Amino acid sequence: MRIGTRGAPMADKQQTDPAPQWWSRPEGTAEAGRRDGVPAPRRDTGGADHVQDAALPQDVPPQDVPTQDVPAPGVSGLTPDVPAAVPAVRYDPWGAEPLQVVDRGRTPRGISLWQVVALSLGTALLAGGIGGYLGVLAERQSSTRLELPQAAGAADRSRAPESVAGIAATALPGVVTLHVRGTKGSGTGTGFVLDQQGHILTNSHVVADSQEITVTFSTGESVTAQLVGRDSGYDLAVVKVSGVRGLHPLSLGNSENVEVGDPVVAIGAPFDLSNTVTAGIISATGRPVTAGGDKGDGSDISYVDALQTDAPINPGNSGGPLLDAKAHVVGINSAIRGADKEDATRQGGSIGLGFAIPVNQGKRVAEELIRTGRATHPVIGVTLDMDYAGDGARVGDKGEDGKPSVVADGPGARAGIRAGDVITKVDGQRVRGGDELIIKIRAHRPGDPLTLTVLRGGRESTLKVVLGSANGS
């Protein structure tokens, strides 16, 4: 413990003479701890429990040590003002320990737990690294061949016929890619083989304004094709290749049997990527779709009572087959619906809304094109008011060039249709505009009977009409 005078620090000098006489020590303890040959106490470093290693110089006179006025406890008759020299070593003057303490150095300490853990971890890492390096070196120098496990090479590559892979394997040999060069540029489309004579069905807009048509088969073989005929109203065309053996015509299905939810596969050449196969379902039937109209006079507009599918269809798929689970063609891919033109994020490709011409319609038109080079359109012999904004299709007041809007002695006139009548239903199906009426009519053949619901003077009536025929474009 530290002793000072009125809070003043004690000097760092050491007193080696016997204790002053004004101290009182318990009997028998004054020099009990002193031994001969013990060095003088060391200089204090300011710590509470340690003594300096160096002995105080022996030539320091005792009188240089400051004195302190400390009354000795238990001593009577002493004046507090009597000065006394106080040694600088911090010790208990009443203790039985010697004034000097021999420096025996720091007590050895054992190895701590964390040092053992660190040493073990470092040893393990070093051993692992060396072992790994030696293993790699030995493997590289070894003559043994390294071979990773793999499935057996003779695995069965057959697929179920109704699977997408099975359908693709059946249909791909009959699907072709068309490269068309015309006065306005070049383009790519798709088609499929109809018969062994080399007739190929595709879209009219694929071969429109064509000067040279090249057909490439799935085998990579390319030949030149000739245009047989096309019809922009149905957006269908037939081309023919000659001198090609081993053709694989696709089987035609029945689009009347298609139901919403049926699985389908589309094959084509989107963005000139030939033999691309995509899959989806029939998401709707009887969708009224119009496409084209680039000429501005309406002569190139196609009207389709389409099958809707979510199988991805993109530019280049046009004219390709839409196949059912039996690999039968149920539609001819023709159009897609993109994002709105006003939308800055408008997509140029598929957003899951593709449309195909029903194969029943395609079959009839293809037969006519092969036979005569032209297709016929079913008509009712009236001119429609395409600006009518109400519900239904309104018969115009006048026809082209001032002629009557209802052709005299035509199918509509014989059924009793008049100018100004609004046709609201075809065979019980709602019609919302002139385009839908044309589409519903063209979904039939010339000579088919239809029942029309007509609104006249606020009253509805039904009329029976037999479709007539007109040459297509």
Side-chain angles (χ1 to χ4, degrees):
M1 84 189 255
R2 179 171 296 180
I3 301 175
T5 58
R6 298 185 178 91
M10 180 178 64
D12 291 336
K13 293 183 180 180
Q14 185 171 300
Q15 175 65 38
T16 60
D17 293 334
Q21 296 299 320
W22 51 270
W23 283 353
S24 176
R25 185 186 297 273
E27 184 178 356
T29 63
E31 299 294 336
R34 295 289 299 273
R35 290 180 293 180
D36 294 337
V38 177
R42 293 179 296 272
R43 192 189 301 254
D44 184 16
T45 60
D49 299 314
H50 296 85
V51 181
Q52 283 191 347
D53 295 338
L56 194 66
Q58 298 297 318
D59 57 349
V60 178
Q63 61 272 17
D64 291 340
V65 179
T67 60
Q68 300 187 16
D69 300 333
V70 180
V75 180
S76 59
L78 296 180
T79 304
D81 295 333
V82 177
V86 181
V89 179
R90 289 172 290 179
Y91 69 97
D92 184 359
W94 317 115
E97 297 297 326
L99 178 63
Q100 295 85 6
V101 178
V102 178
D103 184 7
R104 303 183 185 277
R106 297 184 60 183
T107 303
R109 297 171 59 187
I111 300 177
S112 62
L113 178 60
W114 71 268
Q115 290 174 320
V116 175
V117 173
L119 181 60
S120 301
L121 181 60
T123 303
L125 291 176
L126 180 61
I130 295 175
Y133 172 76
L134 293 177
V136 172
L137 186 62
E139 181 179 337
R140 290 180 177 177
Q141 294 178 351
S142 175
S143 60
T144 304
R145 180 182 177 183
L146 173 64
E147 186 172 349
L148 298 175
Q150 187 180 20
D156 184 11
R157 298 185 60 183
S158 62
R159 299 291 185 270
E162 67 276 7
S163 67
V164 174
I167 296 170
T170 301
L172 274 172
V175 180
V176 301
T177 300
L178 283 75
H179 293 92
V180 181
R181 185 175 59 86
T183 58
K184 298 180 181 180
S186 59
T188 302
T190 308
F192 59 93
V193 179
L194 292 172
D195 53 31
Q196 292 290 348
Q197 287 70 44
H199 292 107
I200 295 171
L201 183 62
T202 186
N203 281 142
S204 175
H205 71 264
V206 171
V207 297
D209 192 37
S210 62
Q211 292 181 324
E212 181 180 349
I213 303 172
T214 302
V215 172
T216 303
F217 293 86
S218 60
T219 59
E221 180 185 4
S222 296
V223 295
T224 301
Q226 301 296 324
L227 178 63
V228 175
R230 69 185 188 91
D231 187 279
S232 59
Y234 286 114
D235 194 20
L236 291 171
V238 174
V239 301
K240 184 179 181 181
V241 295
S242 301
V244 180
R245 297 182 179 181
L247 295 175
H248 296 270
L250 297 188
S251 299
L252 305 183
N254 187 347
S255 53
E256 294 293 331
N257 297 333
V258 174
E259 297 290 343
V260 173
D262 284 347
V264 288
V265 172
I267 303 179
F271 301 103
D272 204 13
L273 299 173
S274 301
N275 305 321
T276 296
V277 178
T278 57
I281 63 169
I282 295 294
S283 52
T285 60
R287 288 292 194 205
V289 175
T290 59
D294 297 332
K295 293 183 178 180
D297 59 0
S299 61
D300 62 336
I301 296 178
S302 58
Y303 299 88
V304 181
D305 198 27
L307 300 175
Q308 179 180 301
T309 178
D310 65 350
I313 298 174
N314 292 283
N317 275 103
S318 294
L322 187 68
L323 305 151
D324 63 13
K326 297 180 179 180
H328 295 163
V329 180
V330 294
I332 301 96
N333 301 320
S334 181
I336 61 174
R337 175 69 163 86
D340 294 334
K341 294 182 178 180
E342 294 78 10
D343 187 355
T345 61
R346 176 185 173 92
Q347 296 184 9
S350 172
I351 60 171
L353 290 174
F355 302 97
I357 300 168
V359 72
N360 289 14
Q361 190 175 81
K363 177 178 179 295
R364 180 183 71 82
V365 174
E367 291 170 345
E368 291 187 348
L369 292 176
I370 293 172
R371 185 170 58 249
T372 66
R374 301 179 68 87
T376 58
H377 297 171
V379 295
I380 59 175
V382 301
T383 300
L384 298 178
D385 180 7
M386 302 304 291
D387 294 329
Y388 179 67
D391 190 23
R394 183 179 182 275
V395 179
D397 297 324
K398 291 184 178 181
E400 296 179 358
D401 301 327
K403 296 180 181 179
S405 59
V406 180
V407 178
D409 200 29
R414 290 194 294 268
I417 297 176
R418 302 177 186 177
D421 285 350
V422 178
I423 302 173
T424 58
K425 294 179 183 178
V426 174
D427 284 342
Q429 295 182 348
R430 174 71 62 180
V431 173
R432 295 176 177 80
D435 289 343
E436 285 196 33
L437 177 61
I438 297 174
I439 290 170
K440 295 297 183 184
I441 290 174
R442 288 193 180 180
H444 295 80
R445 294 171 177 267
D448 287 348
L450 295 179
T451 299
L452 304 180
T453 300
V454 177
L455 181 63
R456 180 189 302 165
R459 297 179 60 183
E460 279 190 345
S461 60
T462 57
L463 303 175
K464 301 289 187 179
V465 61
V466 177
L467 297 177
S469 177
N471 290 328
S473 56

